[in-house]
Amino acid sequence: MKKSIERIIARPERPGMVGDGFRVFNFIPGANIVQRRISPFLMLDFNAAYDFGPSDHVRGVDVHPHKGFETVTIAYKGSVAHQDSAGNSGVINPGDVQWMTAGAGVLHKEFHEENFSKKGGPFEMVQLWVNLPKKDKSVSAHYQGITKEEIATVDLPDNAGIVNVIAGDFNGTKGAAKTFTPVNLFDIKLKEGGQTAFSLPETFNTAILVINGSAVINEEKVKEHSFVLFKNDGEGISIKALENTVLLVMSGEPIDEPIASYGPFVMNTQQEILEAINDFQNGKFGYLD
């Protein structure tokens, strides 16, 4: 049985700015999608392709904290340099994924990579926040830098396109990322007329973001930059591209625990939020220039 589509959500009319380097459209928890409805996913910001132009000023987001969840940054166009208080740093280039586990707390900053900033060009990214279960919220902060070459690629039949399996399992091919709860994250690139079909558990919360192009998804036409939210019924998903199309599929087992969130802190109770703020203010997340 195919999954039923609950809603198709158009791109918000206006983007918001995160720092001065990320021009994003927010789908989660915007568009009336509460965090518990789409658990384990907490936030989805989509920086649709945008040319900031060449600049000697390096745009981005300066030092900020995270605690109690994971941030996943997927680069489609452009390059981002990042650094955190756990000693991790690097550059995310097109096709790469940065999977950062904030856990017990970390300071982080991210900017357009210097050379990219100087020359300018299209910048296209997705940032997804993935919750951690209570038992893992105090894990030490760490980082998975997953390059394009490390991501398993499935060549679809009939030269239809490819699937980059970031996390989980796509028709038997395993993803590169290690997750704390079951999560499937697929970067699908279809040629015009290309088709694919796959199954995801009925109980998993599942959605698709159309990054570029347009497609017919489970018999419904979906426009560019739309967000498709599925009901928790059936398992099957079929996609046919109406033009060259890029889609991000996200599906995860819900974490059946209370969610208390305040900005960059996601815990289970308000008392834990207050403790997280206190830890941050007392320097327990480390130090970062």
Side-chain angles (χ1 to χ4, degrees):
M1 176 180 170
K2 287 188 176 181
K3 288 183 178 292
S4 302
I5 293 176
E6 181 174 315
R7 279 196 288 159
I8 299 175
I9 300 158
R11 189 186 80 177
E13 286 188 15
R14 297 180 181 176
M17 291 299 297
V18 179
D20 65 357
F22 300 89
R23 180 181 180 271
V24 302
F25 297 95
N26 178 261
F27 287 94
I28 305 170
N32 295 317
I33 303 175
V34 298
Q35 291 173 325
R36 283 192 65 83
R37 169 63 187 87
I38 198 66
S39 173
F41 309 113
L42 297 163
M43 192 278 292
L44 174 63
D45 274 345
F46 172 41
N47 191 130
Y50 184 79
D51 192 336
F52 286 90
S55 176
D56 289 329
H57 165 69
V58 180
R59 299 179 178 90
V61 185
D62 211 343
V63 179
H64 56 281
H66 290 297
K67 179 178 171 67
F69 63 99
E70 300 183 288
T71 69
V72 181
T73 304
I74 304 166
Y76 292 92
K77 298 173 183 174
S79 300
V80 172
H82 65 94
Q83 187 177 357
D84 68 36
S85 56
N88 301 300
S89 64
V91 175
I92 315 162
N93 293 306
D96 296 345
V97 174
Q98 171 199 304
W99 197 298
M100 185 181 75
T101 304
V106 71
L107 302 179
H108 186 243
K109 62 180 180 180
E110 50 206 334
F111 289 89
H112 293 196
E113 189 272 330
E114 187 175 0
N115 290 329
F116 170 76
S117 188
K118 287 179 178 178
K119 69 180 181 180
F123 187 81
E124 187 176 51
M125 301 268 164
V126 166
Q127 185 164 100
L128 182 66
W129 289 8
V130 182
N131 202 6
L132 289 170
K134 182 178 179 65
K135 67 182 181 64
D136 296 314
K137 283 188 179 291
S138 295
V139 68
S140 297
H142 60 276
Y143 168 83
Q144 298 175 72
I146 308 171
T147 65
K148 179 180 179 180
E149 292 72 25
E150 293 171 324
I151 297 173
T153 297
V154 177
D155 293 313
L156 296 173
D158 303 317
N159 200 31
I162 63 170
V163 179
N164 296 313
V165 188
I166 299 169
D169 184 310
F170 179 87
N171 291 346
T173 297
K174 305 291 185 182
K178 297 177 181 177
T179 64
F180 286 84
T181 59
V183 170
N184 296 290
L185 197 58
F186 310 146
D187 166 35
I188 299 181
K189 294 178 169 65
L190 293 176
K191 298 177 181 178
E192 181 178 358
Q195 301 183 53
T196 187
F198 51 93
S199 296
L200 294 167
E202 179 177 330
T203 56
F204 281 24
N205 289 327
T206 301
I208 296 177
L209 175 64
V210 182
I211 304 290
N212 300 124
S214 58
V216 175
I217 301 175
N218 284 9
E219 280 74 60
E220 292 201 41
K221 185 176 179 180
V222 183
K223 296 180 180 179
E224 185 174 65
H225 298 174
S226 296
F227 185 81
V228 182
L229 179 65
F230 293 90
K231 294 180 181 179
N232 294 99
D233 64 355
E235 296 184 341
I237 294 178
S238 65
I239 305 171
K240 181 177 180 179
L242 299 175
E243 55 190 305
N244 290 343
T245 299
V246 178
L247 312 100
L248 180 64
V249 177
M250 61 201 76
S251 182
E253 182 177 70
I255 298 172
D256 188 19
E257 296 174 356
I259 298 172
S261 61
Y262 179 77
F265 309 118
V266 182
M267 304 302 292
N268 298 107
T269 67
Q270 288 301 318
Q271 180 58 39
E272 289 170 343
I273 290 291
L274 294 175
E275 291 168 2
I277 294 170
N278 188 61
D279 287 348
F280 165 59
Q281 292 175 337
N282 287 315
K284 291 187 178 179
F285 291 6
Y287 177 78
L288 184 63
D289 280 330

